Amino acid sequence: MLVPKEIQYTKLANPNLFDLLCIAKYFIMSSVDTYSDPQEALADIRSLMSRSGRFLSLSGLSGIWAGVCALVAVTFAYMKANILPFSGVDYYTAFYRQYQSVEAIEPYVFTSGLITMVVAVIGALFFTMRRSKRTGYTLWNSASRSMLINMLVPLAAGGLLVIAHWYHGDYGYSAAITLIFYGLCLLAGGRYTLDEIRYLGYCEIALGLFTAFYPGYGIDAWAIGFGVLHIVYGMLMYFRYERNA
Amino acid sequence: MSVKKYLNQLDKLLDSRVRLAVMSLLVATDWVDFTTFKDELGLSDGNLASHLRKLEEAKYVELRKGFVGRKTLTSYRVTELGRLSFQKHVEALANMVRNNS
């Protein structure tokens, strides 16, 4: 092998030694692609898995906001039908007792529900976007896309099922259906975000099934499921992941 | 316990930074397309493709060809074997860290 001029008069000029050095260099170069420190490897794995696999920008504040919106809406609903929490009177009956007619119930429940949902979603989006800006995670990635699609399916199915029930003049299961399908929607989305959301899903489903047996507590179950549970979940997530971050 | 024991448990195929990164991305999600890998890892087409081919030959990933407009876009998903190997590799890494500190 040709020894370069720079090292001609040094110890390295020994051709055998130079060959050896070249071979060693080759191995060092070829191993650049590997980790020398397992700790570094683990840290990289962790950051990669969190960056694109899961949607981590979901803010706990979004949950708290949604919960507060739900509680405000339910309070108005209590006042509208003039009932107290946990009275065990189903909303349909209470509404009839108050107004001697139930014609107004569908538009009222529908519009107030819609307004609550829109306000809750806008607020949730705001907090989540703010968080995503702070942490530097992208908001719209393959994880959030899959999450959205997977969540929309059970959510839309549940919504249509409620409308079908209304269509047949049946109001008793509205709370049960919305809670159960919302829980399923959270379970479906749970694969793409932090695991804790699944527990929220299980709670919503359990609550929904309870109110399927006791429809009189439908509106109370709504208050707990969409209000209290969201706030508890949101606070838990906020204090666990965001406050110190 | 010597480090050597753990070295044997490490997966040769997952020693590479690029392949380990690819697998890290894949195990946390479903299908990932070629462009996402490129953006996420900042690699050239050729380099990335050769690493993906190695993973595919080992049956660690499966691929699906789709179209975006007229261009083909290949998506990848981790196989059960790939997930298992990745888990074993990560466990071996974690053991090394635990027993060295």
Side-chain angles (χ1 to χ4, degrees), chain A residues 21-32:
Chain A
L21 276 170
C22 287
I23 292 165
K25 173 88 173 155
Y26 168 78
F27 275 109
I28 291 167
M29 290 299 284
S30 69
S31 66
V32 165

Side-chain angles (χ1 to χ4, degrees), chain A residues 2 6 12 23 59 67 72 79 99-100 114 131 148 154 164 168 175 177 191-192 204 215 222 227-228 231:
Chain A
L2 201 67
E6 296 92 287
L12 295 175
I23 292 165
S59 172
V72 169
M79 279 156 58
Y99 298 100
Q100 309 305 322
L114 202 67
R131 172 135 196 250
L148 204 66
H168 294 295
I177 294 168
R191 244 185 108 248
Y192 301 94
E204 303 281 6
W222 256 18
V228 178
I231 293 173

